[in-house]
Amino acid sequence: MDDLKVKYLTQIANASDEAELEAVRLAAVGKKGEVALKMRELGKMTPEQRQVAGPALNALKDEINSALLAKKAALADAALDERLRSEWLDVTLPTRPRGVGSLHPISQASEELTAIFAELGFSVQEGPRVDTDWYNFDALNIPGHHPARAEMDTFYMHRAEGDDRPPHVLRTHTSPVQIRSMEKMGAPLRIICPGGVYRADYDQTHTPMFHQVEGLALDKNISMANLKWVLEEFVKAFFEVDDVELRFRASHFPFTEPSAEVDIRCSWEGGTLKIGEGDDWLEILGSGMVHPKVIAAGGIDPDVYQGFAFGIGIDRLAMLKYGIPDLRAFFESDLRWLRHYGFSCLDVPTLHGGLSR
């Protein structure tokens, strides 16, 4: 054993790189190394011999392993020292020009649509993301038996047993902001409500958190014709096209009556979306005239005022405009993806200067 110890400690000390050190390790303490073979011979010894040879072999193995670790660390330190000697940087050289961060496509789309609706006379209103079920459902004429109020679709906040306060939810749309704005500002009113919303869904086109913008206009003589004009102007400006054709399909939403799904004429030639031309139709939003019960819930007389409302998915708009195939990528925090799809954070979108660059 003394011969083995001297032999391998010498080889370890003389190893010039990690590959040579690994070869010594395998020869000494590997599965087929000399020390391992000596361990196998213990079974052939008498109990008295094993009491002497066993501890000695274990001590030899531990000493060799310790020497291997120390040599490996020394080789790593030597390699680092050599790298530090060979590498250098001239700190007086000018830096490479780089942009100051990247703006997320959702943020870009939000700023673009805010700029568009500001030109149309809409102000921006915001509200809490955690709200009572009265603002989120009851005030919007959504009855208690409606499927959207089930726990499989809506995230309810935990309540202690015996707590009789109104239940709170992660808002499922930004419509509660419409009610709060009516309570605070009265009528006439022209607002948009952008922000994050939450629903229990997750696939290529749905995520548990996403972003919506909802619009509301209230006055004494508003009609569906006003809604159609506003949506046409918005779509033309957002997709930066000269002309669009919208199709209104009858639908049902508890908070509007009549209600309509809105499609836009488009084509998918070569896998590229072209807005305003072609033979295909693409659903982009839901809309309608505000239900009288919703107006009354906001503290406004529905016999005097009426108006329209619409809701658009900001994430979906960004996917369509910028050619992003998977909604889940918006929330994966991949810097490579953000550098590819991101925008300069110093370019403020305007209708006169251009929305997206």
Side-chain angles (χ1 to χ4, degrees):
M1 291 189 194
D2 290 338
D3 292 341
L4 287 177
K5 176 180 176 180
V6 172
K7 172 184 174 182
Y8 286 114
L9 291 182
T10 301
Q11 290 182 8
I12 291 171
N14 294 333
S16 59
D17 54 42
E18 291 195 13
E20 187 176 344
L21 187 66
E22 177 65 11
V24 176
R25 186 191 71 81
L26 293 175
V29 294
K31 289 185 177 181
K32 297 182 179 180
E34 286 194 71
V35 176
L37 294 176
K38 290 287 186 182
M39 290 282 193
R40 294 175 187 174
E41 294 177 1
L42 291 175
K44 302 177 182 179
M45 298 180 183
T46 63
E48 293 77 11
Q49 291 173 325
R50 282 199 296 271
Q51 288 180 355
V52 176
L57 282 171
N58 283 325
L60 174 61
K61 182 178 179 180
D62 291 342
E63 190 169 357
I64 291 175
N65 281 328
S66 297
L68 287 167
L69 289 174
K71 184 63 176 181
K72 186 175 182 179
L75 290 173
D77 291 342
L80 179 60
D81 290 340
E82 178 60 29
R83 182 181 173 187
L84 292 175
R85 281 195 299 270
S86 61
E87 292 182 1
W88 61 277
L89 176 66
D90 187 350
V91 296
T92 65
L93 290 174
T95 60
R96 295 177 181 176
R98 296 186 63 182
V100 185
S102 296
L103 196 65
H104 197 282
I106 292 177
S107 299
Q108 175 71 18
S110 298
E111 292 194 6
E112 290 180 20
L113 62 88
T114 298
I116 295 169
F117 283 112
E119 290 286 334
L120 297 175
F122 287 76
S123 63
V124 177
Q125 296 295 318
E126 296 181 341
R129 297 197 180 201
V130 178
D131 216 332
T132 66
D133 68 341
W134 187 86
Y135 279 105
N136 197 79
F137 295 121
D138 295 319
L140 296 167
N141 197 36
I142 300 176
H145 61 270
H146 195 279
R149 302 184 73 148
E151 291 188 0
M152 64 182 295
D153 290 325
T154 299
F155 294 106
Y156 282 84
M157 307 302 291
H158 173 74
R159 286 198 299 170
E161 187 175 351
D163 188 347
D164 57 355
R165 291 177 298 176
H168 283 68
V169 300
L170 292 178
R171 66 183 183 187
T172 59
H173 41 197
T174 55
S175 299
V177 183
Q178 297 182 13
I179 304 296
R180 292 181 176 274
S181 298
M182 285 190 279
E183 290 178 338
K184 180 175 66 174
M185 303 168 68
L189 186 66
R190 198 181 301 180
I191 61 168
I192 59 169
C193 317
V197 297
Y198 305 85
R199 295 179 190 173
D201 207 351
Y202 188 67
D203 58 34
Q204 185 174 355
T205 56
H206 299 86
T207 56
M209 186 196 81
F210 55 102
H211 299 81
Q212 277 188 342
V213 59
E214 301 200 16
L216 172 68
L218 292 177
D219 213 324
K220 294 181 179 180
N221 298 304
I222 288 182
S223 67
M224 288 286 286
N226 303 122
L227 168 64
K228 183 174 184 293
W229 181 85
V230 167
L231 293 179
E232 286 177 346
E233 292 300 307
F234 165 71
V235 172
K236 285 191 292 185
F238 184 81
F239 289 104
E240 300 175 85
V241 295
D242 296 328
D243 193 26
V244 297
E245 182 180 350
L246 299 183
R247 180 177 69 179
F248 284 66
R249 290 181 290 105
S251 185
H252 171 72
F253 305 113
F255 29 81
T256 53
E257 181 59 40
S259 304
E261 299 275 7
V262 181
D263 303 332
I264 185 171
R265 183 179 290 278
C266 66
S267 70
W268 292 93
E269 293 182 9
T272 301
L273 174 65
K274 294 183 178 179
I275 299 294
E277 61 182 65
D279 299 322
D280 294 325
W281 293 93
L282 177 67
E283 179 187 324
I284 58 170
L285 60 93
S287 64
M289 298 297 291
V290 183
H291 198 290
K293 290 184 178 180
V294 175
I295 297 176
I300 298 173
D301 188 351
D303 294 328
V304 177
Y305 290 97
Q306 62 188 33
F308 63 75
F310 57 85
I312 312 171
I314 299 177
D315 307 355
R316 177 169 171 75
L317 286 178
M319 290 175 70
L320 294 174
K321 184 171 182 178
Y322 308 131
I324 301 172
D326 195 327
L327 180 62
R328 292 168 292 190
F330 281 110
F331 307 99
E332 291 178 350
S333 302
D334 189 331
L335 289 178
R336 297 167 300 176
W337 181 91
L338 183 58
R339 292 189 187 105
H340 179 74
Y341 287 109
F343 295 82
S344 171
C345 58
L346 300 180
D347 290 337
V348 179
T350 64
L351 289 182
H352 305 293
L355 291 177
S356 56
R357 302 178 183 179

